[in-house]
């Protein structure tokens, strides 16, 4: 059976059940009113077997002395008694403490009339009887009927409605009595009683899935199917037999009860276990629910516990202490408390439905009064139809014809007629309900016009969120669905995040949208990438997508998908896709008419998703362009700020000629150079290359600069302490995730000494003409400094001869700064002479590429510098940068280019 046919059968069966329940409740109301009108009590109770009214109990003292159980009452006060319902009509005229006569037949013969005294009916008994007969059944019946009329297709609502409706029949099914009722009504009552015997497993079933599937059900999904088995092998066989005997062979009822008391006790234990398990499941669900769900469930939990706890206490005391015999007064008061507490159970649900929308009444009200009257009125017409058919068949000459086939043929005909009515109404629902839906609820929509309107709306949208808002509005306008949520792919993670959710969603609102997502590598999105059409999610079917998620219960993605689906409860997932990628997902809830989506509806959703895909792509391009423009503006600002961090011009010294330049590859970069005037005769020279590019590298570069400028003036030539401190600072601020190569040197103009530390940087070049004595004279930096190496003319670094020049690479130092916490460094001192040139650079110079990916290289740089000894510092700097640019040709720089030139004047 398809899901649509199954829902229509479900609607038909539910409608028939509540129609029969209304007839059943009306009969109880009529009988209860006559009982409550009695002015006095006879002092004995009766039951009926066929046309015989027999004494069952004698509570009063005089009745106990004069009457015996199983005495047949023939008349009271001379009025014949042929039904138990004749007694209330007599005692509505007999005042309390008045004498009256009873004629009985005992052991087959009529004895002399017995005179008894009527008893007054205490007000408390009248109140208890009124509550038990009128108040409690009315509360359960009305609550269940309203829930069914509002949400007949919703699984939770249907179980709740059946549970409330079954309470009335289940109470009567425990002690069935059909005496004095017409045969057709016996058939109705018997049908309700047998159906209501399923109350106990339905109670447990409901709380297993309310408001979400319990942890127990998630661990053992088969429990939902097997939970009815204990009922079918214990409660149902015993009480079904009891009811059938009461209807067809009432004379055998007491014999059966006496012979199978063990089954009765077992049934009570099983029923109590079902109720206890349901309440425990409710409590566990409440404990694991979100704060919002807890707020909605709080009244339900309190009402359920308050409604059932007194009953459990009464049952426990009765079993443990035989309370009825030991303390009947306490047992009576416990019964009163349990009776008046019981309505708290349905009333708590009624409050939660109205106050917290546990079942979304506001969605139902949005359907409009006209649809509610027509669609739900059709169910009432079905109930009247069933009642009319039964009344026609089982009255007048038809009843006489039926009775001619046997004493209880009318009951068989009643049940057969009910079965035929179910089949007929199921067929009728399949034909009529879609017509009602199209005519009175779902407004006719012009798909072409709607798509044209959507196209106009999205053309005005400049963001993906605005496009999604337009699509939600059009879907709601055309289909009136309970909820619509749109997920779009997040480029950074590849997951699909909810950007908009309609305000009609039952379990969430717009503020929750940011928490909803579908993993890009999850089961749902992988399936949607393979699907070119709308994909139906049937949440209640065992082979649904949720069942597929159950198979992947250990996956984090599956848990995220389950959480999202539980909050939205969609009926359809519609892929928003282009030719080669899944851009987003539209999750569409159930239609507010509770009927399935038609083929036209699906085609409309597919068209909207197709249009939405291109609109979202276009909006994202616009957003990207705007973001790019914004980024370019921010980069320009950052570049201006960074340029201010570099020296505006090199400082002027008598013996030094200085020049420096930094050309970022992306407007801003991580290269850094600086000249720090320490006093009138000393200057610090720094070059650094921060890992990475762009703004992040520039921010780290500013940290290096700030640290250097703060510490450099106070180190007094101890460059090891300076570099070590900068390393620790950079490591702690970036946790080792970023680092920088760093070269720092101090030149003392008075002594001609250059002291430096190279922390993993490209080795700067110290260039001088051949024959000049490099390092002539003692260096002044060696005294008292740990780890200081003094390099003379021929050190370990090994000078390189290029033409008429000697070039030394300055390599002494240690590892880059920021990568490790504690590092050891060394410094070196060199004696410089007139004409010596220091060239410090970053790898943007030596690693500059041609269009054939050939590097400029350190060797070309050495030759270029060696051939330019006669140039000033600024001229040499310009020549190097121009040569590098010529080398690259039309190819832009791949890395920041930074260069510092220092020349000792002659």
């Amino acid at each position: 059976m398809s899901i649509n046919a199954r829902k229509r059968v479900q609607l038909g069966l539910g409608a028939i059940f509540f129609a029969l329940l209304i007839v059943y409740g009306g009969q109880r109301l009529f009988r209860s009113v006559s009982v409550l009108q009695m002015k006095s009590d006879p002092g004995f109770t009766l039951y009926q077997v066929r046309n015989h009214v027999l004494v069952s109990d004698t509570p009063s003292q005089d009745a106990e002395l004069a009457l015996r159980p199983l005495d047949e009452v023939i008349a009271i006060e001379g009025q014949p008694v042929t039904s138990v319902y004749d007694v209330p009509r007599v005692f509505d005229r007999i005042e309390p403490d008045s004498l009256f006569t009873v004629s009985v037949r005992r052991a087959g013969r009529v004895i002399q009339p017995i005179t008894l005294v009527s008893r007054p009916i205490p007000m408390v008994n009248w109140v208890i009887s009124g509550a038990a007969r009128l108040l409690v059944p009315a509360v359960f019946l009305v609550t269940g009927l309203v829930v069914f009329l509002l949400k007949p297709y919703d699984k939770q609502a249907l179980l709740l409605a059946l549970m409330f409706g079954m309470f009335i029949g289940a109470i009567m099914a425990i002690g069935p009595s059909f005496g004095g009722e017409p045969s057709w009504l016996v058939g109705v009552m018997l049908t309700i009683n047998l159906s209501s015997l399923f109350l106990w497993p339905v109670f447990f079933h409901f709380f297993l899935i309310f408001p979400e599937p319990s942890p127990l059900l998630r661990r053992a999904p088969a429990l939902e199917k097997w939970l009815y088995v204990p009922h079918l092998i214990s409660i149902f066989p015993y009480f079904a037999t009891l009811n059938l005997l009461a209807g067809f062979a009432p004379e055998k009822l007491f014999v059966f009860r006496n012979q199978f008391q063990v089954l009765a006790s077992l049934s009570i234990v099983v029923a109590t276990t079902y109720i206890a398990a349901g309440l425990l499941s409710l409590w566990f669900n409440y404990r694991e629910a979100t704060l919002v769900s807890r707020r909605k469930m709080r009244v339900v939990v309190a009402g359920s516990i308050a409604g059932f706890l007194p009953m459990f206490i009464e049952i426990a005391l009765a079993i443990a202490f035989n309370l009825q015999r030991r303390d009947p007064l306490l047992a009576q008061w416990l019964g009163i408390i349990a009776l008046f507490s019981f309505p708290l159970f349905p009333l708590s649900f009624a409050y939660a439905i109205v106050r917290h929308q546990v079942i979304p009444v506001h969605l139902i009200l949005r359907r409009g009064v006209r649809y509610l009257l027509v669609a739900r009125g059709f169910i009432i017409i079905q109930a009247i139809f069933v009642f009319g058919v039964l009344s026609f068949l089982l009255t007048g000459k038809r009843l006489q014809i039926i009775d001619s086939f046997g004493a209880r043929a009318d009951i068989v005909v009643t049940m057969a007629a009910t079965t035929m009515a179910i089949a007929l109404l199921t067929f009728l629902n399949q034909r009529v309900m879609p017509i009602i839906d199209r005519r009175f609820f779902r407004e006719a929509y012009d798909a072409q016009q709607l798509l044209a309107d959507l196209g106009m709306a999205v053309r005005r949208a400049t963001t993906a969120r605005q496009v999604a808002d337009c699509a939600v509005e059009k879907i709601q306008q055309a289909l009136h669905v309970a909820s619509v949520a749109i997920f779009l792919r997040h480029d950074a993670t590849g997951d699909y995040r909810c950007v908009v959710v309609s305000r009609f969603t039952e379990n969430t609102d717009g503020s929750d949208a940011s928490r909803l997502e579908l993993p890009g590598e999850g089961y749902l999105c992988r399936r949607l990438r393979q699907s070119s059409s709308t994909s139906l999610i049937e949440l209640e079917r065992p082979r649904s997508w949720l069942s597929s998620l159950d198979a992947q219960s250990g996956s984090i993605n599956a848990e995220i998908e389950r959480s999202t689906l539980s909050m939205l409860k969609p009926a359809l997932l519609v892929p928003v896709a282009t030719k080669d990628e899944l851009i987003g997902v539209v999750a569409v809830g159930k239609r507010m008419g509770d009927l399935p989506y038609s083929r036209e509806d699906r085609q409309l959703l597919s068209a909207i998703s197709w249009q939405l895909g291109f609109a979202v792509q276009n909006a994202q391009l616009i957003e990207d362009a705007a973001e790019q423009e914004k980024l370019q503006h921010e980069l320009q600002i950052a570049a201006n700020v960074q340029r201010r961090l570099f020296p505006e011009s090199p400082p002027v010294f008598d013996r030094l000629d200085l020049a420096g330049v930094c050309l970022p590859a992306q407007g801003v970069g991580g290269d850094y150079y600086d000249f720090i005037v320490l006093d009138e005769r000393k200057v610090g020279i720094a070059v650094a290359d921060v890992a990475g590019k762009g703004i992040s590298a520039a921010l780290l570069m500013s940290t290096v600069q700030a640290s250097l400028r703060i510490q450099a003036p106070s180190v007094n030539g101890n460059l090891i302490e300076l570099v070590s401190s900068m390393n620790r600072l950079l490591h702690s601020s970036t946790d080792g995730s970023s680092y920088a190569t760093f070269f720092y040197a101090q030149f003392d103009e008075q002594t001609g000494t250059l002291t430096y530390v190279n922390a993993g940087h490209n080795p700067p070049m110290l260039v001088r003409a051949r024959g000049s004595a490099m390092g002539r004279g003692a260096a002044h930096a060696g005294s008292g400094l740990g780890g200081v190496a003094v390099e003379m003319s021929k050190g370990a670094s090994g000078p390189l001869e290029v033409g008429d020049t000697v070039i030394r690479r300055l390599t002494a130092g240690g590892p880059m700064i920021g990568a490790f916490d504690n590092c050891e460094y060394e410094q070196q001192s060199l004696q410089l002479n007139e004409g010596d040139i220091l060239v410090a650079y970053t790898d943007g110079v030596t690693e500059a590429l041609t269009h054939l990916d050939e590097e400029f290289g350190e060797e070309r740089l050495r030759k270029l510098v060696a051939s330019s000894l006669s140039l000033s510092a600024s001229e040499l700097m310009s020549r190097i940068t121009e040569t590098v640019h010529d080398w690259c040709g039309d190819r832009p720089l791949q890395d920041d280019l930074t260069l510092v030139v220092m020349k000792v004047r002659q």
Side-chain angles (χ1 to χ4, degrees), residues 677-739:
V677 178
L678 301 175
D679 58 35
E680 294 180 355
R681 310 294 294 177
K682 292 181 181 180
V683 63
I685 301 167
V687 179
D689 185 358
V690 175
K693 298 180 178 65
I695 294 179
S696 60
L699 291 173
L700 192 60
M701 180 271 283
S702 65
T703 302
V704 173
Q705 184 207 42
S707 176
L708 176 64
R709 283 185 169 269
I710 290 172
Q711 298 183 71
S714 61
V715 297
N716 194 27
N718 190 347
L719 305 192
I720 294 176
E721 179 182 342
L722 169 67
V723 178
S724 297
S725 175
M726 292 179 61
N727 173 67
R728 288 191 298 269
L729 175 65
L730 195 60
H731 180 79
S732 62
S733 62
T734 64
D735 196 23
S737 58
S738 298
Y739 57 88

Side-chain angles (χ1 to χ4, degrees), residues 17 20 24 169 172-173 176-178 182-197 236 239-249 408 411-412 414-415:
F17 174 77
L20 296 178
Y24 188 92
M172 298 304 296
S177 175
F178 307 120
S183 298
W184 69 269
L185 188 55
V186 173
V188 172
M189 297 172 69
L190 192 58
T191 303
I192 291 297
N193 283 5
L194 293 177
S195 302
S196 299
L197 288 175
F236 188 79
F239 282 108
T241 304
L242 207 64
N243 280 267
L244 291 173
L245 288 176
F248 292 96
R408 290 301 183 183
I411 297 179
V412 176
T414 300
M415 301 183 75

Side-chain angles (χ1 to χ4, degrees), residues 687-691 704 739-743 758-762 816-817 842:
V687 179
D689 185 358
V690 175
V704 173
Y739 57 88
T741 62
F742 179 62
F743 172 82
N758 187 340
H761 194 71
N762 299 78
M816 61 195 72
I817 59 174
T842 62

Side-chain angles (χ1 to χ4, degrees), residues 830-845:
L830 302 173
Q831 187 70 36
L832 302 190
N833 300 320
E834 295 178 358
D836 291 350
I837 298 175
L838 174 68
V839 178
Y841 58 91
T842 62
D843 52 14
V845 177

